[in-house]
């Protein structure tokens, strides 16, 4: 169990704003607030889940006019006595209130410590705790919806269901091994096999959802390919304007290109800006394409822009050869002009390799075709299944790795059954799967991992 030290932090943002919240949690939360709050009554006597007007004072000096929320354990986020001071949102005044709180008995909370306590006090499992951060970091509707689903316990229930099944059957085997005279194991393998296969299939589906989950959460790493002057920059502009979304420039972390983040139809595209590669002379144009192809190597998606008013040349051939086994969309731009290249021509060029039509006529200049492009994006990146539904997506690598371990262990169980091995063989692997799944909900994780997970949280959460 966590030590019951009372902790405090600023739970709102670190810039001046209308209101800030200083949160206090722990056994002494009311003791601390009583020392620094002046109002109609002392707050330690107040009813739970009430809010009180008054002032925060430090040794006789009034610091700010505040509203204080009183929430008693266990019906609080952390499961502990909790006080939230709503003060004026200047950083100076907020920090001064926090300092006063700390001077009067609380200690500064570590990042994620409130949520860590919520987890340790059994208010939520690890999937829910992790989803708290996902909700905060959500950048689009799909990611937010999926995070809220996880916060509500969708993933937790799924994992718990699987674990219950595994435990039930493991217990049966163990009992039978202990008491062979009374518990019948005849043909048990045959009975167990479909159960294990079903769990294994559910685990596989969750693993599969991880790709979509990652794209949803982090955005689709996208490279725009195409020769100079085909309209790549114009496309970028058209996409940026589409949602009237915020377009941000973020420095590429692993490479020296700029990444631009745009939101189209609720989907976030992390666009590698290869515009810098644009050069003029023919020889350099070729080098430019080569370099852009290199960037495309670990992209989730390639947008290949073709100028429909000009015929294809060897650079286009090179790109077409390159993209054939990747996720791509060909955008036939400048469709408002006299077109030389049609969808059919391109379709024939790539016919052997694809069945689906990923070629769209657009005009970056007029903004036509962009909507169709967005629909196609959803189809390609989310197998058309990207809807605001109750489907559970895995969005985090830790969960995915645990699922893979579980799947491996379940595979071994299937194998042992197939080979007619003795029952105690299954139960070892079943317990491995049980354990691996337990790391997802946090039932079977060590303190180190817990500390590591919560250290990635933001301050005050
Ligand atoms: P980039 O070199 O690939 O980034 O190409 P730009 O976006 O700079 O566009 C090159 C030229 O093509 C510019 O003069 C654009 O105005 C023009 N252009 C881009 N898209 C279209 C389009 O859809 N229709 C027409 N008619 N012109 C376009």
């Amino acid at each position: 169990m966590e030590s019951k030290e009372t902790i405090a932090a600023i739970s709102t943002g670190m810039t001046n704003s209308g209101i800030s919240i200083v949160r206090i949690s722990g056994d002494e939360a009311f003791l601390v607030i009583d020392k620094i709050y002046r109002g109609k009554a002392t707050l330690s006597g107040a009813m739970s889940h009430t809010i009180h007007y008054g002032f925060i004072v430090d040794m006789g000096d009034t610091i700010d006019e505040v509203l204080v929320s009183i929430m008693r354990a266990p019906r609080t986020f952390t499961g502990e006595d909790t006080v939230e001071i709503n003060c004026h949102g200047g950083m100076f005044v907020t920090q001064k209130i926090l300092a006063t709180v700390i001077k009067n008995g609380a200690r500064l909370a570590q990042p994620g410590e409130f949520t860590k306590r919520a987890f340790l006090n059994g208010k939520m499992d690890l999937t829910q705790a992790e989803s708290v951060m996902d909700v905060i970091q959500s950048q689009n509707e799909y990611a937010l919806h999926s995070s809220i689903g996880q916060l509500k316990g969708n993933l937790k229930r799924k994992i718990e269901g699987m674990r219950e099944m595994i435990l039930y059957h493991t217990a049966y085997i163990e009992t039978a091994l202990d008491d062979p005279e009374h518990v019948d194991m005849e043909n048990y393998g045959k009975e167990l096999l479909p159960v294990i296969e079903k769990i294994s299939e559910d685990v596989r589906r969750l693993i599969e959802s991880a790709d979509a989950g990652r794209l949803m959460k982090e955005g689709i790493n996208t490279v725009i390919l195409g020769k100079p002057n085909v309209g790549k920059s114009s496309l970028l502009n058209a996409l940026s304007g589409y949602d009237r979304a915020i377009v941000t420039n973020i420095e590429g972390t692993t490479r020296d290109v700029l990444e631009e983040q745009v939101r189209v139809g609720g989907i976030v595209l992390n666009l590698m800006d290869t515009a810098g590669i644009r050069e003029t002379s023919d020889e350099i144009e070729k080098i430019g394409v080569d370099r852009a192809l290199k960037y495309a190597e670990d992209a989730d998606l390639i947008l290949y822009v073709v100028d429909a008013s000009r015929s294809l040349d060897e650079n286009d051939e090179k790109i077409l050869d390159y993209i054939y086994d990747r996720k791509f969309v060909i955008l036939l731009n400048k469709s408002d002009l006299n077109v030389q290249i049609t969808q059919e021509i391109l379709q024939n060029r790539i016919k052997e390799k694809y069945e689906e039509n990923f070629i769209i006529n657009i005009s970056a200049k007029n903004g036509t075709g962009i909507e169709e492009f967005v629909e196609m994006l959803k189809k390609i990146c989310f197998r058309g299944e990207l809807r605001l539904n109750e489907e559970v997506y895995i969005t985090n690598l830790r969960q995915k790795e645990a699922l893979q371990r579980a799947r491996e262990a379940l595979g071994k169980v299937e194998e042992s059954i197939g080979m007619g091995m003795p029952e105690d063989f299954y139960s070892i692997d079943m317990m491995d799967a049980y354990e691996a799944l337990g790391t997802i909900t946090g039932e079977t994780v060590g303190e180190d991992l817990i500390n590591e997970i919560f250290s990635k949280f933001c301050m005050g959460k």
Side-chain angles (χ1 to χ4, degrees), residues 32-163:
V32 172
I33 194 68
D34 272 353
K35 287 194 215 162
I36 61 173
Y37 169 86
R38 295 295 170 266
K40 270 196 179 153
T42 52
L43 295 181
S44 54
M47 270 172 53
S48 185
H49 293 77
T50 53
I51 191 156
H52 305 267
Y53 173 80
F55 295 89
I56 297 296
V57 293
D58 178 24
M59 313 215 294
D61 278 347
T62 301
I63 300 175
D64 196 12
E65 180 192 34
V66 293
L67 282 172
V68 181
S69 307
I70 295 294
M71 290 161 281
R72 290 183 191 280
R75 274 202 314 128
T76 65
F77 178 72
T78 55
E80 304 169 342
D81 283 345
T82 300
V83 172
E84 285 181 5
I85 305 171
N86 289 245
C87 59
H88 288 108
M91 266 300 87
F92 182 74
V93 65
T94 311
Q95 267 161 357
K96 204 160 166 168
I97 290 175
L98 177 64
T100 309
V101 166
I102 284 167
K103 207 160 73 183
N104 285 277
R107 109 170 129 68
L108 187 64
Q110 290 158 359
E113 197 170 2
F114 292 100
T115 317
K116 181 176 162 186
R117 287 190 173 193
F119 167 68
L120 292 172
N121 291 331
K123 299 295 288 184
M124 52 177 73
D125 82 326
L126 205 48
T127 67
Q128 292 171 307
E130 285 181 305
S131 69
V132 168
M133 262 335 262
D134 288 344
V135 170
I136 292 173
Q137 286 164 355
S138 287
Q139 304 196 52
N140 63 67
E141 215 155 324
Y142 301 106
L144 176 60
H145 188 81
S146 148
S147 309
I148 290 287
Q150 190 163 320
L151 184 62
K152 279 161 63 190
N154 290 355
L155 179 59
K156 170 187 167 209
R157 278 189 293 279
K158 245 195 159 118
I159 301 289
E160 278 175 355
M162 295 177 190
R163 291 186 86 221

Side-chain angles (χ1 to χ4, degrees), residues 227-234 278 333-334 336-337 363-365:
K227 294 179 300 180
N229 284 318
V230 294
K232 296 185 295 296
S233 316
S234 309
R278 174 145 67 130
N333 190 33
K334 307 197 189 181
D336 55 295
L337 298 179
S363 166
K365 194 173 158 193

Side-chain angles (χ1 to χ4, degrees), residues 220-226 231-237 240 247-252 255-262 269-278 288 291-293 295-296 299 301 303:
I220 302 165
N221 292 327
T222 308
V223 168
I224 304 180
L225 292 183
K232 296 185 295 296
S233 316
S234 309
L235 171 70
L236 193 62
N237 286 337
S240 311
V247 181
T248 49
N249 283 319
I250 40 176
E251 206 71 52
R255 50 191 129 195
D256 56 347
V257 281
L258 273 180
E259 220 177 75
E260 198 150 11
Q261 208 167 51
V262 294
L269 295 180
N270 304 322
L271 288 167
M272 286 298 150
D273 190 354
T274 54
I277 290 169
R278 174 145 67 130
R291 274 176 60 189
L293 291 181
Y295 288 121
L301 178 71
L303 301 183

Side-chain angles (χ1 to χ4, degrees), residues 433-453:
Y434 181 79
E435 226 260 354
L437 292 173
T439 63
I440 297 175
T441 51
E443 234 131 306
T444 53
V445 285
E447 203 182 316
D448 286 358
L449 185 61
I450 288 174
N451 287 338
E452 193 195 315
I453 289 169

